Every structure is written in structure tokens, then in C-alpha cells.
Amino acid sequence: VYGTNHKVTMAMDWIRKQARLYQNLARTMRYQAVVHLEDKEDEYFWDYQLQSVKPGRYRYLYYSKSDKGTDSRGCEQCLRFRPYLTDRFFICIDSDLRLLRGEQGLMAANHIAQTYTYSWENHLCEAAHLNERKDKAIPDSDFDLQAFLHSFSKIVYKPLLYLIQCGADSSTNQLWNVSKFNACIPLQPSRSDLVDNAAGYLAKVKENFNKALATLPSEVKTVEPLTEENAYLHMQGHQLYKLVMHIGSMLCGGTGIAFKTDVLDKGLHTNGYEEIESLQSDLQYILK
């Protein structure tokens, strides 16, 4: 019994010791705050959001020691610090499907900031702002990215509801999961697929989902705040990003415009739609 308790104490020490170090570091005059992210690539997005709320120097952590003393990163590692977070040492995480599945405690009052979309990549693909950037970069294009994403969002809405419901149980997860969901969405449509604002491509995606969901119950519970309009913001962000980048790159063909750098990755905003405004509100609460 002693050995077991001793192991538990030692495991907890890694997190507690690091938390004390980060809290002390945050108290110095060098930083506004110490912020644990899921990975290094997240800094681009989160620093922009933080600077818009409270400009200054932030110390970003991309990984830390797990309970076993090994270098670890990701959302679960960030959440291990929950008991020790403050307004000067906090975490910024992707919501994944946790928000839609009703996971408790993920709130600004607990010094946790989240994307309110599956991941920060979804924000780069927000339909209205994305279409504005596309129109400014390639004004001669008649492809409407906003209309495309609205139609696409309606198609993925019901499959996402099944994903939220089935993922809560290991047995139902075998029936419908992220891998099966992603398999229904070809990420590299052809140029001919984009005719009539990608009507043919959207029809293929809808057919793929209809076939894949045929064996599941016809009724599925609705989940707030998921709607047909915002569903695309709650699918895996890197999948959505790849699809939008592929389509945009074809639209930019022969124009000299690099869609990824000149359009897609310039999509950092702090207002204009509910998800980003919720994120901003949380940061304002934490940094008040």
C-alpha cells in the first residue's frame, strides 16, 4: 500500500513542481503571463488574440513533463495543470468536441481559454472573413467561398451530431467516429468539381455521408450551440483547412497569388462572429 501511495505522490509532484516554477516565472516583471499551449504551431494564433486583449510579452510553453517525467504536449497535458492555474499562468487549448459534449469546468473562471471551434485552424476558414480576403486577392474569381462553406456546413451538421453522440461510448464509437467522418470528405476535389460553386463536389460529399450513416438510427439529438450554419467550424480543423487550401489554390492558379500565405493564413480576426467573440471574452476575463 505504501508503495502505491508513494508512486501517486511522486507522479503528482511533476505537475505541481512545474506549476510552482511557472507561477513564480509569471510573477516576474518580464512577462504579462506564462501560457501553456498544446504545441508550438499554436503560438501564431494565440499570440495574436492575446496581444489584442493585453499587449505585452508572453512566455509560451509548448510542452512540459508528464506525471511520468517525460516531455508531453497536447490538450490533456495542458489540462493536468488545472489545479494550479492563475490569471498569470493559464492554458489555451483547442475545444475539439469537448465543448459540444458538455465537458465541465472548461471556462475562463478556471483560467482556461479555448477556441470555441474544433481547433484554431477553423478560425482561419470562417466563411464571411475568408470570402472577403479571397475577393480582395482575386477579384475576378466568381467562386463564392462563403456560399460553398454554408452549403458544406449543412451537409456535415447531422454527421457531427452522430459524432458527438457516438463518441461518448466505446461501443457506439465503433459505429461512427472521426476517421469514418473524415473518410466521407475528399480533400482534393478536381477543377471540374468546382463548377457551379462546387455543386457536384457537395453532392458527392452528401452522398458519401448518406451511405455511411445508413445503418445508424434515423433520429439524433441536437446539441447546443451546434447549428447547420456553424457546423463546419466544429469539424476537425486541419481537415477543413486542407480542403479550403486545396480549393483556394486552384482558384488562384495562374494569378501569382499564393492562397495559403496571401489569403488563408491572414485570417486572424478578433470579432465578427460568435465563436471568436466568446474566445476574446474569455481572454478579457482572464487578463482583467
Side-chain angles (χ1 to χ4, degrees):
V1 174
Y2 170 79
T4 303
N5 291 339
H6 183 64
K7 285 180 182 178
V8 170
T9 303
M10 290 300 291
M12 290 178 64
D13 276 349
W14 278 106
I15 300 299
R16 188 167 67 240
K17 285 177 181 177
Q18 289 174 105
R20 190 177 300 131
L21 171 66
Y22 302 146
Q23 289 167 355
N24 289 337
L25 186 60
R27 291 190 190 103
T28 70
M29 298 299 291
R30 295 168 61 192
Y31 303 109
Q32 293 280 11
V34 174
V35 185
H36 202 317
L37 306 176
E38 292 188 25
D39 209 337
K40 182 176 174 57
E41 63 181 11
D42 301 354
E43 182 180 338
Y44 166 72
F45 174 81
W46 283 109
D47 188 62
Y48 186 90
Q49 300 300 324
L50 287 161
Q51 296 296 342
S52 72
V53 174
K54 192 170 187 178
R57 189 181 179 199
Y58 292 85
R59 171 67 181 271
Y60 295 105
L61 308 172
Y62 314 126
Y63 63 90
S64 51
K65 298 288 185 185
S66 70
D67 295 335
K68 296 179 180 178
T70 57
D71 289 346
S72 299
R73 65 193 73 229
C75 187
E76 292 304 324
Q77 179 64 13
C78 290
L79 290 171
R80 290 189 177 103
F81 288 93
R82 269 198 271 200
Y84 310 105
L85 300 177
T86 71
D87 56 357
R88 299 291 300 279
F89 166 50
F90 55 90
I91 63 175
C92 294
I93 61 173
D94 291 337
S95 295
D96 296 335
L97 292 177
R98 292 179 176 84
L99 180 70
L100 299 178
R101 285 177 175 154
E103 185 169 328
Q104 299 297 304
L106 303 182
M107 59 187 72
N110 294 333
H111 305 101
I112 298 171
Q114 62 178 306
T115 53
Y116 286 92
T117 57
Y118 192 100
S119 66
W120 59 266
E121 288 96 335
N122 299 78
H123 286 288
L124 300 182
C125 302
E126 190 274 324
H129 287 102
L130 176 64
N131 204 51
E132 287 176 7
R133 301 196 304 276
K134 188 270 298 178
D135 286 347
K136 188 177 291 186
I138 42 173
D140 294 335
S141 171
D142 61 357
F143 192 91
D144 189 332
L145 271 171
Q146 184 171 6
F148 167 78
L149 285 170
H150 281 177
S151 297
F152 179 78
S153 190
K154 290 179 180 178
I155 293 169
V156 300
Y157 172 65
K158 192 171 182 180
L160 267 172
L161 287 176
Y162 280 109
L163 199 58
I164 295 160
Q165 187 169 297
C166 292
D169 185 276
S170 58
S171 59
T172 54
N173 187 53
Q174 299 302 312
L175 299 175
W176 189 241
N177 51 50
V178 171
S179 295
K180 291 184 177 183
F181 179 97
N182 289 340
C184 293
I185 305 173
L187 297 181
Q188 295 188 322
S190 66
R191 193 170 295 276
S192 62
D193 286 331
L194 301 190
V195 174
D196 193 20
N197 224 66
Y201 172 78
L202 291 167
K204 285 181 187 176
V205 174
K206 187 172 184 177
E207 182 183 1
N208 289 345
F209 276 119
N210 286 341
K211 288 180 179 178
L213 296 172
T215 58
L216 296 179
S218 57
E219 295 297 320
V220 62
K221 293 179 181 177
T222 58
V223 175
E224 292 186 354
L226 190 69
T227 66
E228 287 189 340
E229 288 70 33
N230 68 24
Y232 75 107
L233 294 175
H234 295 279
M235 64 174 280
Q236 275 193 330
H238 65 267
Q239 295 292 106
L240 179 65
Y241 181 93
K242 288 177 185 176
L243 173 61
V244 169
M245 183 171 66
H246 182 77
I247 292 173
S249 296
M250 286 196 291
L251 298 177
C252 288
T255 65
I257 301 293
F259 183 78
K260 182 181 185 300
T261 54
D262 296 336
V263 180
L264 186 53
D265 288 351
K266 288 189 175 178
L268 295 176
H269 303 277
T270 57
N271 58 56
Y273 57 103
E274 184 177 346
E275 291 78 9
I276 200 67
E277 289 173 1
S278 294
L279 180 157
Q280 279 280 307
S281 178
D282 282 358
L283 291 181
Q284 289 163 10
Y285 181 92
I286 293 170
L287 293 168
K288 68 181 185 298

